[in-house]
Amino acid sequence: MADRKTPLLDELEKGPWPSFVKEIKKSAKSPMVQDLLGQLERSYQEKIGHWKHGGLVGVRGYGGGVIGRYNDLPKEFPQVSEFHTIRVNQPAGWFYTSEALRTLCDIWEKHGSGLTNMHGSTGDIVFLGTRTTELEPIFAKLTEAGYDLGGSGSDMRTPSCCAGQARCEWACYDTMGFTYEVTQTYQDELHRPAFPYKFKIKAAGCPNDCVAAVARADMSVIGTWRDAIQIDQAAVAEYATGGKLNIARDVAGRCPTRCIAWDGKTLFIDDENCVKCMHCINAMPKALAPGKDRGAAILVGAKAPIVEGALLSSVLVPFIKMEPPYDDIKELLNAMWELWSEHGKNRERIGEFIQRIGLGNFLEQIGLEVVPEMVTQPRTNPYIYYQLS
Amino acid sequence: MADRKTPLLDELEKGPWPSFVKEIKKSAKSPMVQDLLGQLERSYQEKIGHWKHGGLVGVRGYGGGVIGRYNDLPKEFPQVSEFHTIRVNQPAGWFYTSEALRTLCDIWEKHGSGLTNMHGSTGDIVFLGTRTTELEPIFAKLTEAGYDLGGSGSDMRTPSCCAGQARCEWACYDTMGFTYEVTQTYQDELHRPAFPYKFKIKAAGCPNDCVAAVARADMSVIGTWRDAIQIDQAAVAEYATGGKLNIARDVAGRCPTRCIAWDGKTLFIDDENCVKCMHCINAMPKALAPGKDRGAAILVGAKAPIVEGALLSSVLVPFIKMEPPYDDIKELLNAMWELWSEHGKNRERIGEFIQRIGLGNFLEQIGLEVVPEMVTQPRTNPYIYYQLS
Amino acid sequence: MSAEPAKRKTDIGPPHYEKFLPPVIKENYGKWKYHENPRAGVLVHVAHSGAKLWSVRAATPRLMSIETLRLFAAIADEFCGGYLRFTSRNNVEFLLSDGGKVDPLIARLEKEGYPVGGTGPAITNIVHTQGWVHCHSAASDASGVVKSLMDALFPHFQKMELPAKVRVAFACCLNMCGAVHCSDIAVLAVHRKPPRINNETLPKTCEIPSTVAACPTGAIRPATVDGKQTVQVIEEQCMFCGNCFTVCPSMTMADPENDGISIWVGGKVSNARHEPMFSKLAIPYLPNNPPRWPEVVEAVKHLVEVYAKNARPFERMGEWIERIGWPRFFKLTGLPFTKYHIDDFRHAGESFRRSAHIRQSSQG
Amino acid sequence: MSAEPAKRKTDIGPPHYEKFLPPVIKENYGKWKYHENPRAGVLVHVAHSGAKLWSVRAATPRLMSIETLRLFAAIADEFCGGYLRFTSRNNVEFLLSDGGKVDPLIARLEKEGYPVGGTGPAITNIVHTQGWVHCHSAASDASGVVKSLMDALFPHFQKMELPAKVRVAFACCLNMCGAVHCSDIAVLAVHRKPPRINNETLPKTCEIPSTVAACPTGAIRPATVDGKQTVQVIEEQCMFCGNCFTVCPSMTMADPENDGISIWVGGKVSNARHEPMFSKLAIPYLPNNPPRWPEVVEAVKHLVEVYAKNARPFERMGEWIERIGWPRFFKLTGLPFTKYHIDDFRHAGESFRRSAHIRQSSQG
Ligand code: SRM
Ligand code: SRM
Ligand code: SRM
Ligand code: SRM
Ligand code: SF4
Ligand code: SF4
Ligand code: SF4
Ligand code: SF4
Ligand code: SF4
Ligand code: SF4
Ligand code: SF4
Ligand code: SF4
């Protein structure tokens, strides 16, 4: 069948940035991709998508991992009348070997469009477009090769994390180890949706939060430390004389709590007032490092706007030591999930749930003590639900 | 009739701070006050008040100015079975002459308890306690002497203001002149409740806000300026050497926008970024003064918690010249009152009303242009009510 | 406007303030240059003309007998041509054009029991309300608590040795007539039991729809009790604000055992440095203990002392706490942080800590 | 747990990452000392042992053919023993233990059309979503807008000359799969017409109670249209979020004429300096103009330029705007401030300026 004409899409082959159109065309030997090109060109002409509301498809025994997709132009583009997405759980930190990549490519070449997202926004390997009949064969081959599906629907979503200790000097705990551990522990929660709504976990090794955990995860695990920042004064002096950095203005002057003093010779940090924001360390990586007493802060509740408005995660546990097998965090997860599953409304994220029942009540229910670190300030309104003893 | 025994209240005659109990006893020749003492002692014993829910009483043709009060122990304390409060509109800035005070005392001695509050929390002279039958006579004598009642109920409440230009070098407009003018202009709105709820006006001459306008008035008029702060460098130098003030730390270091530079000799202010907070001027009154292009910012909506939670006023007009007869402000008031009276719910303060209908809609309705000064930041949620043209 | 017979005077408004201004003010109105604060309670305002105005500020209990007002009048006649004013915080100020009379005036006022002070970085009069003296809503008395507090805080009224002004306010119920919602230290009387409904009187005295509408949490439902139209309260949903009582006399809140006092800190009104701030909860509940409320007095004194010891010059209570952080505030004051301190009303979520900015090292 | 026959493999989870780590990482795992960023796209991490790891970051379109993945695999074999990874923003990183191979690798990648860059104070890949390529909700395409934007912003990918990182994100509907709510520059596709209800199919396809419950503003009411149980939308109450469509296929949002794109600024995720912040509305609407969305590209370029010109070192977009104030931001960018910029949802009042802190002098 002759290659389709795609004048509009062709415009997007131009320019220095790698082109997704070129990518699609690279796989255009697949008839599916031919029709995808045609349908997409049509969308570009008409300024409207041609996918219908997703239907429920999946692999046996799993409730998630596949996003069903059908088009509304089956006559014109029959090859993509079914064009489902498969979410494959990525290796922690998105590390691969060439061999691993080839294995995945071979499976996907045989059973799908050959198009992927590396990676989906939650972190999965996304296999973009196949038929219902291919789902079981793909699943069999994936598990054979040691891979499994990721999450979708009202389940625990595929956890993800930054490179952490694999490559970063600032990692305050083993983000990849932790992510692998929770993913394995909660395979059932990941594959069989049983929550009121989705629940995402993201693990960042330090407060720079390179996986946007605070904005995108129902549970955000953010590495931090409890003791003093490690300072190498000699190295500080080098930065001072290096001419690239104005320590007074750019480092001390930008410390959020103004807890850095710099007299031109020695850098003094009032660690009591340091909020572990990372800025000074970021600015002088050779001179400063997080302290030695490391762990993580656990925050909960981030989500996009739907329904009650977007939320960032908020502090649940100000500091916790991160030691395998992370039993305390698992207990916390179990307690939260139990409460939320029982009392959460349909499609109510845990962040919205907490606001509805009140953080104080939530903490009481899951048996966590209330500490002032959880809030920016105590209540200002006098509507207190006093409980008379 | 023998003086009552008030052992508990007597405890409050002790100590250095002037005693309200002594005050009450000073007027104890009045039988009313005798019973008041008795009833109050009883409240102190029982830890509960003995006043019943206020009933509607007043003077002919007025809907406000009197707070009806009856006790729940008419047998024990018949003299205070009726004990109404009269709110007398104070002179702007609470200035008096000895003669004026005596006039008020004479009227109140003849027709009431002889107890007062100088002043009520809204600003009125409060005559504390009299009978229904005394209301008309008191009103006649007050008007005779050139006084009138203040507000209560769902009306414009008695406006009040700081001493302003009468005594303060920082006053950016004539607070007392303005307050007198609006009070006189809106006598009908003040005396005949016709709003959804109360509406308070407070005028502060500068951002120090010595009448707490931003917290306690539905319309808060706060003096400010548009040009550069006036600096007398010589006087600054005196403060620098005076030894009392550390200009770098206490002045520049506390400027909210850090827009002050101090090199030990000259003080430089980046007025573009000055938010007119007053701090540097407060700290060096002999050296600094507000600019010459003076006026006021108009804020709306402050209130106590009932019903939706406490509010501070928010910016409605960032800057306005304050010139008698203040027609532009009157037009603004009329526009706001009209809209609020028509669409406000019963007992919905204007601050709550604005939040319910949306500030954007409110501005459109009253014909004010939207400017970014009205908000700390643009919206973060994407729920935009687009209107397609 | 007014439908009154012509002869009866109405709507004349207050007298014009000009009548009450001393000559020095009339002459220098709007022409002041600067001021000084030589001692607590004394302000000297200097005009561009060079003219000077001395203001001497004396304490008042706000609730005053006409005898006292007449005394003030007499003193004003004797020392300053009869000119005086009251302040927005209920102190009295005598306005002198002769500086020589300041000290004798102060001596006289002290002798009469109206001490001079309250200016500068000090504690001035406590804005307050009616309490048991006149209001039906009161969860405590106002004047008695204020008197007890000011007796204890009195040294700070006479000296100017605090880091900054400390504004203390009192309100006797959640209506907050004292506008305590923005004070360095706010003392707020609270009810802690749901309204007691009088089903006999309610149908006659209350408008049911507006009563239902009055409840911020929707805890009130219409109900029929033995044939009568009345209301019922879902008690778990009641947070004791008392707004139902304001609109409906048959729903009474006052309760001798459980009413009491809460304490809030860190509010401010001025724009100086930090924007205005609400007060935040420090102590959820202290007992009503007339005549001198020792627990409340102790708590407030303690807060002032900890603040005075730790804050830097010009730092208001709330600015100081922001600098050191709330966890440290609770440590320094030794106050427990409880479930009650976490907001759970409309915008509660806005007060959650939505970042990893945590003073991890200040555990100790 | 799983009720599957034993032989069928399930719930095995992802492969263990250790299998994929190069020796230099295995040996120095958790023992890194510091890093350097010698040029855009190249990171050198130095371990306490002295060992070094070079990471070379190349752009990807995220949507990739297996042919490209195989190419990456081949390149990895040739230059770094087959070790590579992808980043949280969809770039690819080749992991070298031999610094000598860095330049040749870069040359090779550039030749293949996968340019190197995106580190440091630069613009890296745009987090984005499916758009017309795969999603039913899309108000615009994702890949096309991103490609057009990155072509225009490309110099900032290759150089590190911005005051700080500028994170750009794209989402094709308010579900915000790109989590655009905390980006320096967020490009968000929007619907602007209420859902079109298909009363024929709705009764069969949608659960009416959950559809009604799905509406954040309560704009959806149950209704009966010629006998059929369906819903109706109070159009004035609809703000086009599309959540009804998510739960009910018979309420379609997409509209070729009125769908388009909004632009938001000043969000951030990191805790560095300022706490994380949401993005705020800058431009309410720009038209959908495929294939290259010129209006959107221009607007974003302009925002980056104004920021680059005015911000100070280390200042993220949102930190810069906070320093100069929003009024100045709108002046500098020449963008109109409209009614749409003022929040009017749940917590709107929290964004009002509740003080007199106003930059009065920056009118000009
Ligand atoms: C594939 C992916 C976008 C992408 O191109 O990468 C995606 C695609 C969809 N998302 Fe998402 N979401 C994806 C990450 C996200 C993220 C970002 C994240 O996870 O970090 C968010 C924002 C964070 C959050 O969870 O709040 C996100 C917030 C949503 C929402 C709004 C949820 C909310 O509570 O606000 C919906 C609507 C819903 O859940 O019904 C949604 C729904 C959807 C659906 C299933 C459409 C729908 O209404 O059912 C999309 C399927 C598109 C398709 O046909 O392929 N998607 N979605 C991402 C998952 C890939 C992966 O597994 O790695
Ligand atoms: C007398 C005074 C307190 C005082 O001792 O000074 C006072 C006394 C009462 N106030 Fe007030 N309010 C007084 C100033 C205030 C203030 C402060 C202010 O005006 O600056 C506030 C807070 C600011 C505000 O307006 O929000 C205030 C907020 C309230 C409220 C709550 C209104 C709200 O929207 O939150 C109520 C309840 C109501 O309006 O039904 C209320 C109601 C009342 C009532 C009428 C009781 C009632 O529920 O009907 C009180 C009568 C007490 C009595 O028997 O004398 N009072 N009230 C003040 C008026 C004196 C004067 O005219 O000068
Ligand atoms: C007399 C009075 C106005 C009136 O018309 O009655 C007044 C008078 C002055 N105030 Fe005030 N303020 C008065 C209530 C207030 C209030 C309102 C309140 O407390 O309810 C405030 C807002 C308080 C708050 O922020 O919570 C107030 C916040 C200020 C400030 C800002 C202080 C700060 O750093 O936040 C200044 C500037 C200063 O003190 O350096 C100030 C400065 C002044 C000056 C120096 C202005 C001047 O040059 O005349 C006056 C003497 C100050 C002093 O007492 O130390 N005045 N001042 C009020 C005296 C009350 C009293 O009896 O003690
Ligand atoms: C590779 C990656 C993590 C991963 O496991 O994939 C990563 C890696 C590094 N990040 Fe990151 N960050 C990565 C996504 C992020 C994200 C997440 C995002 O953008 O969605 C953030 C939060 C962004 C935000 O705040 O909106 C992020 C905020 C930072 C910061 C804080 C920057 C700031 O001033 O706010 C630093 C510190 C710095 O740059 O000095 C940092 C620093 C670093 C360092 C220097 C850490 C290290 O020593 O290895 C790494 C190289 C930085 C660089 O690219 O300039 N990384 N970094 C991600 C690369 C994405 C990409 O392809 O460009
Ligand atoms: S989040 Fe911290 S530890 Fe993880 S990669 Fe980023 S900087 Fe390193
Ligand atoms: S980490 Fe942040 S808060 Fe701590 S000292 Fe460094 S800059 Fe200051
Ligand atoms: S508000 Fe300003 S002008 Fe008025 S008295 Fe206070 S300081 Fe003076
Ligand atoms: S008035 Fe306030 S903002 Fe302006 S320069 Fe002085 S201290 Fe800074
Ligand atoms: S605060 Fe409450 S009790 Fe006190 S006067 Fe006001 S309404 Fe009455
Ligand atoms: S006290 Fe307040 S919360 Fe309780 S029922 Fe009455 S109005 Fe509702
Ligand atoms: S943002 Fe909306 S349109 Fe885009 S992928 Fe997510 S759900 Fe689909
Ligand atoms: S688009 Fe959103 S606001 Fe409009 S009806 Fe649907 S759910 Fe409600």
Side-chain angles (χ1 to χ4, degrees), chain B residues 94 162-163 167-170 208-212 282, chain C residues 35 43 45 57 85 87-89 91 93 118-120 124 165 167 182 268-270 272-273 316:
Chain B
W94 303 290
C162 73
R167 193 184 64 181
C168 183
E169 69 268 31
W170 296 327
N208 282 329
D209 196 356
C210 295
V211 281
N282 293 342
Chain C
H35 75 278
L43 300 164
H45 285 84
R57 180 179 303 170
R85 72 180 290 267
T87 72
S88 65
R89 294 190 75 92
N91 289 313
E93 289 180 335
T119 61
T124 181
K165 288 174 158 54
R167 300 308 207 200
C182 299
K268 76 190 280 282
V269 162
S270 81
R273 302 169 308 282
R316 296 281 298 270

Side-chain angles (χ1 to χ4, degrees), chain B residues 67 69 85 87 120-124 126 197-198 200 202 216 303-306 347 349, chain C residues 62 128-130 134-137 175-177 246:
Chain B
I67 304 295
R69 193 57 75 216
T85 281
R87 295 178 179 176
S121 197
T122 304
D124 292 292
V126 171
Y197 207 179
K198 63 189 75 170
K200 294 175 179 178
K202 283 181 168 65
R216 301 168 68 161
K303 56 178 292 300
I306 305 300
R347 297 188 76 236
R349 296 284 286 265
Chain C
R62 189 178 84 124
H128 62 281
T129 49
Q130 295 297 321
H134 201 269
C135 194
H136 59 191
S137 273
N175 284 336
M176 285 196 189
C177 298
T246 296

